PDB file of all heavy atoms in Angstrom:
ATOM      1  N   LYS A   1       0.776  -1.224   0.004  1.00 95.00           N
ATOM      2  CA  LYS A   1       0.064  -0.013  -0.031  1.00 95.00           C
ATOM      3  C   LYS A   1       0.888   1.212  -0.028  1.00 95.00           C
ATOM      4  O   LYS A   1       0.279   2.335   0.053  1.00 95.00           O
ATOM      5  CB  LYS A   1      -0.910  -0.033   1.197  1.00 95.00           C
ATOM      6  CG  LYS A   1      -2.039  -1.141   1.194  1.00 95.00           C
ATOM      7  CD  LYS A   1      -2.880  -0.913   2.413  1.00 95.00           C
ATOM      8  CE  LYS A   1      -4.004  -1.998   2.332  1.00 95.00           C
ATOM      9  NZ  LYS A   1      -4.973  -1.949   3.432  1.00 95.00           N
ATOM     10  N   ASN A   2       2.153   1.020  -0.025  1.00 95.00           N
ATOM     11  CA  ASN A   2       3.135   2.203   0.052  1.00 95.00           C
ATOM     12  C   ASN A   2       2.858   3.266   1.260  1.00 95.00           C
ATOM     13  O   ASN A   2       2.860   4.376   0.988  1.00 95.00           O
ATOM     14  CB  ASN A   2       3.011   3.058  -1.254  1.00 95.00           C
ATOM     15  CG  ASN A   2       4.249   3.168  -1.998  1.00 95.00           C
ATOM     16  OD1 ASN A   2       5.317   2.461  -1.733  1.00 95.00           O
ATOM     17  ND2 ASN A   2       4.429   4.204  -2.802  1.00 95.00           N
ATOM     18  N   THR A   3       2.619   2.601   2.310  1.00 97.00           N
ATOM     19  CA  THR A   3       2.121   3.298   3.507  1.00 97.00           C
ATOM     20  C   THR A   3       2.840   2.801   4.774  1.00 97.00           C
ATOM     21  O   THR A   3       3.099   1.640   4.794  1.00 97.00           O
ATOM     22  CB  THR A   3       0.679   3.233   3.689  1.00 97.00           C
ATOM     23  OG1 THR A   3       0.060   3.726   2.489  1.00 97.00           O
ATOM     24  CG2 THR A   3       0.192   4.059   4.898  1.00 97.00           C
ATOM     25  N   VAL A   4       3.229   3.822   5.582  1.00 98.00           N
ATOM     26  CA  VAL A   4       3.868   3.390   6.928  1.00 98.00           C
ATOM     27  C   VAL A   4       2.958   3.999   7.937  1.00 98.00           C
ATOM     28  O   VAL A   4       2.381   5.055   7.724  1.00 98.00           O
ATOM     29  CB  VAL A   4       5.265   3.973   6.987  1.00 98.00           C
ATOM     30  CG1 VAL A   4       5.816   3.783   8.417  1.00 98.00           C
ATOM     31  CG2 VAL A   4       6.174   3.434   6.013  1.00 98.00           C
ATOM     32  N   TYR A   5       2.811   3.257   9.047  1.00 98.00           N
ATOM     33  CA  TYR A   5       1.894   3.665  10.109  1.00 98.00           C
ATOM     34  C   TYR A   5       2.641   3.864  11.467  1.00 98.00           C
ATOM     35  O   TYR A   5       3.675   3.255  11.655  1.00 98.00           O
ATOM     36  CB  TYR A   5       0.827   2.548  10.353  1.00 98.00           C
ATOM     37  CG  TYR A   5      -0.009   2.191   9.091  1.00 98.00           C
ATOM     38  CD1 TYR A   5       0.440   1.112   8.354  1.00 98.00           C
ATOM     39  CD2 TYR A   5      -1.013   2.962   8.648  1.00 98.00           C
ATOM     40  CE1 TYR A   5      -0.199   0.790   7.169  1.00 98.00           C
ATOM     41  CE2 TYR A   5      -1.768   2.538   7.510  1.00 98.00           C
ATOM     42  CZ  TYR A   5      -1.375   1.505   6.694  1.00 98.00           C
ATOM     43  OH  TYR A   5      -1.958   1.133   5.689  1.00 98.00           O
ATOM     44  N   LEU A   6       2.020   4.672  12.257  1.00 98.00           N
ATOM     45  CA  LEU A   6       2.480   4.797  13.627  1.00 98.00           C
ATOM     46  C   LEU A   6       1.248   4.714  14.574  1.00 98.00           C
ATOM     47  O   LEU A   6       0.441   5.627  14.593  1.00 98.00           O
ATOM     48  CB  LEU A   6       3.223   6.201  13.838  1.00 98.00           C
ATOM     49  CG  LEU A   6       3.868   6.311  15.286  1.00 98.00           C
ATOM     50  CD1 LEU A   6       5.010   5.365  15.378  1.00 98.00           C
ATOM     51  CD2 LEU A   6       4.388   7.776  15.405  1.00 98.00           C
ATOM     52  N   GLN A   7       1.131   3.612  15.234  1.00 98.00           N
ATOM     53  CA  GLN A   7       0.088   3.441  16.207  1.00 98.00           C
ATOM     54  C   GLN A   7       0.535   3.971  17.543  1.00 98.00           C
ATOM     55  O   GLN A   7       1.595   3.559  18.027  1.00 98.00           O
ATOM     56  CB  GLN A   7      -0.217   1.960  16.417  1.00 98.00           C
ATOM     57  CG  GLN A   7      -1.353   1.699  17.473  1.00 98.00           C
ATOM     58  CD  GLN A   7      -2.687   2.233  16.926  1.00 98.00           C
ATOM     59  OE1 GLN A   7      -3.141   2.092  15.835  1.00 98.00           O
ATOM     60  NE2 GLN A   7      -3.358   2.812  17.888  1.00 98.00           N
ATOM     61  N   MET A   8      -0.146   4.949  18.098  1.00 98.00           N
ATOM     62  CA  MET A   8       0.111   5.598  19.304  1.00 98.00           C
ATOM     63  C   MET A   8      -0.889   5.405  20.329  1.00 98.00           C
ATOM     64  O   MET A   8      -2.014   5.838  20.267  1.00 98.00           O
ATOM     65  CB  MET A   8       0.304   7.101  19.085  1.00 98.00           C
ATOM     66  CG  MET A   8       1.244   7.471  17.902  1.00 98.00           C
ATOM     67  SD  MET A   8       1.487   9.257  17.744  1.00 98.00           S
ATOM     68  CE  MET A   8      -0.009   9.851  17.315  1.00 98.00           C
ATOM     69  N   ASN A   9      -0.462   4.660  21.425  1.00 98.00           N
ATOM     70  CA  ASN A   9      -1.388   4.364  22.490  1.00 98.00           C
ATOM     71  C   ASN A   9      -0.907   5.025  23.803  1.00 98.00           C
ATOM     72  O   ASN A   9       0.189   5.452  23.783  1.00 98.00           O
ATOM     73  CB  ASN A   9      -1.466   2.721  22.689  1.00 98.00           C
ATOM     74  CG  ASN A   9      -1.990   2.056  21.505  1.00 98.00           C
ATOM     75  OD1 ASN A   9      -2.914   2.676  20.738  1.00 98.00           O
ATOM     76  ND2 ASN A   9      -1.484   0.863  21.310  1.00 98.00           N
ATOM     77  N   SER A  10      -1.844   5.102  24.780  1.00 98.00           N
ATOM     78  CA  SER A  10      -1.417   5.645  26.023  1.00 98.00           C
ATOM     79  C   SER A  10      -0.874   7.066  25.884  1.00 98.00           C
ATOM     80  O   SER A  10       0.214   7.338  26.534  1.00 98.00           O
ATOM     81  CB  SER A  10      -0.625   4.743  26.790  1.00 98.00           C
ATOM     82  OG  SER A  10      -1.057   3.469  27.054  1.00 98.00           O
ATOM     83  N   LEU A  11      -1.417   7.815  25.023  1.00 98.00           N
ATOM     84  CA  LEU A  11      -0.902   9.133  24.802  1.00 98.00           C
ATOM     85  C   LEU A  11      -0.800  10.019  25.994  1.00 98.00           C
ATOM     86  O   LEU A  11      -1.670   9.912  26.921  1.00 98.00           O
ATOM     87  CB  LEU A  11      -1.647   9.766  23.611  1.00 98.00           C
ATOM     88  CG  LEU A  11      -1.361   9.285  22.230  1.00 98.00           C
ATOM     89  CD1 LEU A  11      -2.419   9.610  21.277  1.00 98.00           C
ATOM     90  CD2 LEU A  11      -0.007   9.747  21.781  1.00 98.00           C
ATOM     91  N   LYS A  12       0.162  10.817  26.082  1.00 98.00           N
ATOM     92  CA  LYS A  12       0.422  11.678  27.098  1.00 98.00           C
ATOM     93  C   LYS A  12       0.561  13.248  26.598  1.00 98.00           C
ATOM     94  O   LYS A  12       0.883  13.410  25.472  1.00 98.00           O
ATOM     95  CB  LYS A  12       1.742  11.363  27.878  1.00 98.00           C
ATOM     96  CG  LYS A  12       1.924   9.975  28.345  1.00 98.00           C
ATOM     97  CD  LYS A  12       3.356   9.768  28.828  1.00 98.00           C
ATOM     98  CE  LYS A  12       3.513   8.278  29.312  1.00 98.00           C
ATOM     99  NZ  LYS A  12       4.894   8.000  29.866  1.00 98.00           N
ATOM    100  N   PRO A  13       0.210  14.144  27.470  1.00 98.00           N
ATOM    101  CA  PRO A  13       0.249  15.531  27.013  1.00 98.00           C
ATOM    102  C   PRO A  13       1.688  15.912  26.502  1.00 98.00           C
ATOM    103  O   PRO A  13       1.701  16.673  25.467  1.00 98.00           O
ATOM    104  CB  PRO A  13       0.064  16.336  28.229  1.00 98.00           C
ATOM    105  CG  PRO A  13      -0.860  15.470  29.067  1.00 98.00           C
ATOM    106  CD  PRO A  13      -0.338  14.017  28.752  1.00 98.00           C
ATOM    107  N   GLU A  14       2.690  15.256  26.926  1.00 97.00           N
ATOM    108  CA  GLU A  14       4.066  15.625  26.351  1.00 97.00           C
ATOM    109  C   GLU A  14       4.293  14.958  24.996  1.00 97.00           C
ATOM    110  O   GLU A  14       5.256  15.255  24.381  1.00 97.00           O
ATOM    111  CB  GLU A  14       5.216  15.088  27.329  1.00 97.00           C
ATOM    112  CG  GLU A  14       5.004  13.635  27.787  1.00 97.00           C
ATOM    113  CD  GLU A  14       4.334  13.514  29.160  1.00 97.00           C
ATOM    114  OE1 GLU A  14       3.388  14.118  29.385  1.00 97.00           O
ATOM    115  OE2 GLU A  14       4.818  12.680  29.973  1.00 97.00           O
ATOM    116  N   ASP A  15       3.355  14.209  24.517  1.00 98.00           N
ATOM    117  CA  ASP A  15       3.365  13.729  23.125  1.00 98.00           C
ATOM    118  C   ASP A  15       2.806  14.732  22.059  1.00 98.00           C
ATOM    119  O   ASP A  15       2.917  14.564  20.905  1.00 98.00           O
ATOM    120  CB  ASP A  15       2.551  12.351  22.975  1.00 98.00           C
ATOM    121  CG  ASP A  15       3.206  11.233  23.750  1.00 98.00           C
ATOM    122  OD1 ASP A  15       4.467  11.153  23.707  1.00 98.00           O
ATOM    123  OD2 ASP A  15       2.336  10.567  24.325  1.00 98.00           O
ATOM    124  N   THR A  16       2.301  15.846  22.595  1.00 98.00           N
ATOM    125  CA  THR A  16       1.779  16.877  21.745  1.00 98.00           C
ATOM    126  C   THR A  16       2.893  17.490  20.900  1.00 98.00           C
ATOM    127  O   THR A  16       3.947  17.891  21.394  1.00 98.00           O
ATOM    128  CB  THR A  16       1.148  17.973  22.603  1.00 98.00           C
ATOM    129  OG1 THR A  16       0.026  17.456  23.336  1.00 98.00           O
ATOM    130  CG2 THR A  16       0.713  19.132  21.736  1.00 98.00           C
ATOM    131  N   ALA A  17       2.615  17.480  19.601  1.00 98.00           N
ATOM    132  CA  ALA A  17       3.648  17.980  18.667  1.00 98.00           C
ATOM    133  C   ALA A  17       3.105  17.827  17.324  1.00 98.00           C
ATOM    134  O   ALA A  17       2.018  17.262  17.017  1.00 98.00           O
ATOM    135  CB  ALA A  17       4.921  17.150  18.729  1.00 98.00           C
ATOM    136  N   VAL A  18       3.838  18.383  16.321  1.00 98.00           N
ATOM    137  CA  VAL A  18       3.662  18.068  14.848  1.00 98.00           C
ATOM    138  C   VAL A  18       4.470  16.908  14.515  1.00 98.00           C
ATOM    139  O   VAL A  18       5.558  16.871  14.798  1.00 98.00           O
ATOM    140  CB  VAL A  18       4.013  19.282  13.970  1.00 98.00           C
ATOM    141  CG1 VAL A  18       3.761  18.929  12.526  1.00 98.00           C
ATOM    142  CG2 VAL A  18       3.131  20.531  14.341  1.00 98.00           C
ATOM    143  N   TYR A  19       3.777  15.879  13.989  1.00 98.00           N
ATOM    144  CA  TYR A  19       4.497  14.559  13.643  1.00 98.00           C
ATOM    145  C   TYR A  19       4.743  14.614  12.130  1.00 98.00           C
ATOM    146  O   TYR A  19       3.800  14.845  11.288  1.00 98.00           O
ATOM    147  CB  TYR A  19       3.559  13.450  13.997  1.00 98.00           C
ATOM    148  CG  TYR A  19       3.634  13.142  15.534  1.00 98.00           C
ATOM    149  CD1 TYR A  19       3.055  14.065  16.403  1.00 98.00           C
ATOM    150  CD2 TYR A  19       4.324  12.114  15.991  1.00 98.00           C
ATOM    151  CE1 TYR A  19       3.144  13.809  17.820  1.00 98.00           C
ATOM    152  CE2 TYR A  19       4.444  11.863  17.374  1.00 98.00           C
ATOM    153  CZ  TYR A  19       3.805  12.711  18.261  1.00 98.00           C
ATOM    154  OH  TYR A  19       3.903  12.483  19.622  1.00 98.00           O
ATOM    155  N   TYR A  20       5.994  14.271  11.795  1.00 98.00           N
ATOM    156  CA  TYR A  20       6.349  14.123  10.374  1.00 98.00           C
ATOM    157  C   TYR A  20       6.890  12.882  10.055  1.00 98.00           C
ATOM    158  O   TYR A  20       7.417  12.070  10.958  1.00 98.00           O
ATOM    159  CB  TYR A  20       7.457  15.118  10.094  1.00 98.00           C
ATOM    160  CG  TYR A  20       7.259  16.633  10.424  1.00 98.00           C
ATOM    161  CD1 TYR A  20       7.462  17.086  11.615  1.00 98.00           C
ATOM    162  CD2 TYR A  20       6.836  17.477   9.340  1.00 98.00           C
ATOM    163  CE1 TYR A  20       7.220  18.485  11.924  1.00 98.00           C
ATOM    164  CE2 TYR A  20       6.515  18.886   9.686  1.00 98.00           C
ATOM    165  CZ  TYR A  20       6.705  19.326  10.899  1.00 98.00           C
ATOM    166  OH  TYR A  20       6.557  20.608  11.128  1.00 98.00           O
ATOM    167  N   CYS A  21       6.606  12.352   8.850  1.00 98.00           N
ATOM    168  CA  CYS A  21       7.356  11.172   8.336  1.00 98.00           C
ATOM    169  C   CYS A  21       8.386  11.586   7.338  1.00 98.00           C
ATOM    170  O   CYS A  21       8.233  12.666   6.634  1.00 98.00           O
ATOM    171  CB  CYS A  21       6.385  10.133   7.789  1.00 98.00           C
ATOM    172  SG  CYS A  21       5.491  10.528   6.240  1.00 98.00           S
ATOM    173  N   ALA A  22       9.362  10.801   7.204  1.00 97.00           N
ATOM    174  CA  ALA A  22      10.503  11.190   6.393  1.00 97.00           C
ATOM    175  C   ALA A  22      11.085   9.841   5.802  1.00 97.00           C
ATOM    176  O   ALA A  22      11.012   8.825   6.475  1.00 97.00           O
ATOM    177  CB  ALA A  22      11.640  11.937   7.120  1.00 97.00           C
ATOM    178  N   ALA A  23      11.792   9.955   4.677  1.00 96.00           N
ATOM    179  CA  ALA A  23      12.360   8.787   4.033  1.00 96.00           C
ATOM    180  C   ALA A  23      13.849   9.008   3.760  1.00 96.00           C
ATOM    181  O   ALA A  23      14.334  10.159   3.486  1.00 96.00           O
ATOM    182  CB  ALA A  23      11.631   8.598   2.674  1.00 96.00           C
ATOM    183  N   ILE A  24      14.591   7.961   3.824  1.00 95.00           N
ATOM    184  CA  ILE A  24      15.976   7.945   3.442  1.00 95.00           C
ATOM    185  C   ILE A  24      16.251   6.697   2.678  1.00 95.00           C
ATOM    186  O   ILE A  24      15.813   5.595   3.013  1.00 95.00           O
ATOM    187  CB  ILE A  24      16.932   8.134   4.630  1.00 95.00           C
ATOM    188  CG1 ILE A  24      18.370   8.048   4.245  1.00 95.00           C
ATOM    189  CG2 ILE A  24      16.695   6.975   5.609  1.00 95.00           C
ATOM    190  CD1 ILE A  24      19.423   8.433   5.332  1.00 95.00           C
ATOM    191  N   GLY A  25      17.038   6.838   1.570  1.00 94.00           N
ATOM    192  CA  GLY A  25      17.326   5.664   0.775  1.00 94.00           C
ATOM    193  C   GLY A  25      18.324   4.736   1.372  1.00 94.00           C
ATOM    194  O   GLY A  25      19.525   4.872   1.315  1.00 94.00           O
ATOM    195  N   ALA A  26      17.812   3.796   2.191  1.00 93.00           N
ATOM    196  CA  ALA A  26      18.588   2.822   2.990  1.00 93.00           C
ATOM    197  C   ALA A  26      17.729   1.653   3.263  1.00 93.00           C
ATOM    198  O   ALA A  26      16.561   1.675   3.128  1.00 93.00           O
ATOM    199  CB  ALA A  26      19.126   3.527   4.248  1.00 93.00           C
ATOM    200  N   ILE A  27      18.380   0.524   3.627  1.00 92.00           N
ATOM    201  CA  ILE A  27      17.692  -0.699   3.867  1.00 92.00           C
ATOM    202  C   ILE A  27      17.547  -0.866   5.349  1.00 92.00           C
ATOM    203  O   ILE A  27      16.479  -1.300   5.887  1.00 92.00           O
ATOM    204  CB  ILE A  27      18.435  -1.884   3.227  1.00 92.00           C
ATOM    205  CG1 ILE A  27      18.482  -1.777   1.635  1.00 92.00           C
ATOM    206  CG2 ILE A  27      17.911  -3.144   3.722  1.00 92.00           C
ATOM    207  CD1 ILE A  27      19.222  -2.738   1.060  1.00 92.00           C
ATOM    208  N   ALA A  28      18.646  -0.681   6.075  1.00 93.00           N
ATOM    209  CA  ALA A  28      18.651  -0.885   7.598  1.00 93.00           C
ATOM    210  C   ALA A  28      18.570   0.307   8.370  1.00 93.00           C
ATOM    211  O   ALA A  28      19.022   1.376   7.837  1.00 93.00           O
ATOM    212  CB  ALA A  28      19.879  -1.683   7.974  1.00 93.00           C
ATOM    213  N   THR A  29      18.057   0.330   9.478  1.00 94.00           N
ATOM    214  CA  THR A  29      18.040   1.470  10.384  1.00 94.00           C
ATOM    215  C   THR A  29      18.670   1.089  11.719  1.00 94.00           C
ATOM    216  O   THR A  29      18.763  -0.085  12.042  1.00 94.00           O
ATOM    217  CB  THR A  29      16.614   1.909  10.600  1.00 94.00           C
ATOM    218  OG1 THR A  29      16.583   3.076  11.438  1.00 94.00           O
ATOM    219  CG2 THR A  29      15.662   0.874  11.272  1.00 94.00           C
ATOM    220  N   ASP A  30      19.122   2.102  12.439  1.00 92.00           N
ATOM    221  CA  ASP A  30      19.566   1.917  13.804  1.00 92.00           C
ATOM    222  C   ASP A  30      19.177   3.075  14.672  1.00 92.00           C
ATOM    223  O   ASP A  30      18.698   4.037  14.162  1.00 92.00           O
ATOM    224  CB  ASP A  30      21.095   1.623  13.830  1.00 92.00           C
ATOM    225  CG  ASP A  30      21.949   2.680  13.167  1.00 92.00           C
ATOM    226  OD1 ASP A  30      21.494   3.944  13.250  1.00 92.00           O
ATOM    227  OD2 ASP A  30      22.952   2.387  12.610  1.00 92.00           O
ATOM    228  N   GLN A  31      19.554   3.010  15.933  1.00 93.00           N
ATOM    229  CA  GLN A  31      19.128   4.024  16.890  1.00 93.00           C
ATOM    230  C   GLN A  31      19.712   5.348  16.436  1.00 93.00           C
ATOM    231  O   GLN A  31      19.035   6.425  16.651  1.00 93.00           O
ATOM    232  CB  GLN A  31      19.465   3.684  18.205  1.00 93.00           C
ATOM    233  CG  GLN A  31      18.604   4.270  19.332  1.00 93.00           C
ATOM    234  CD  GLN A  31      17.128   3.683  19.288  1.00 93.00           C
ATOM    235  OE1 GLN A  31      16.810   2.594  18.866  1.00 93.00           O
ATOM    236  NE2 GLN A  31      16.138   4.531  19.767  1.00 93.00           N
TER     237      GLN A  31
END
């Protein structure tokens, strides 16, 4: 579906923000 999701549970006031998704041409990710 060419889509990525972010399921957010137990939300807190400190989670308030503008959320962005971004892409980088890579296969693996790390912290």
Side-chain angles (χ1 to χ4, degrees):
K1 295 183 177 179
N2 231 22
T3 302
V4 174
Y5 306 97
L6 185 68
Q7 178 67 44
M8 305 187 297
N9 298 328
S10 302
L11 283 162
K12 305 175 180 180
E14 51 264 44
D15 294 318
T16 295
V18 178
Y19 283 70
Y20 301 88
C21 65
I24 181 172
I27 295 174
T29 181
D30 56 32
Q31 206 70 25

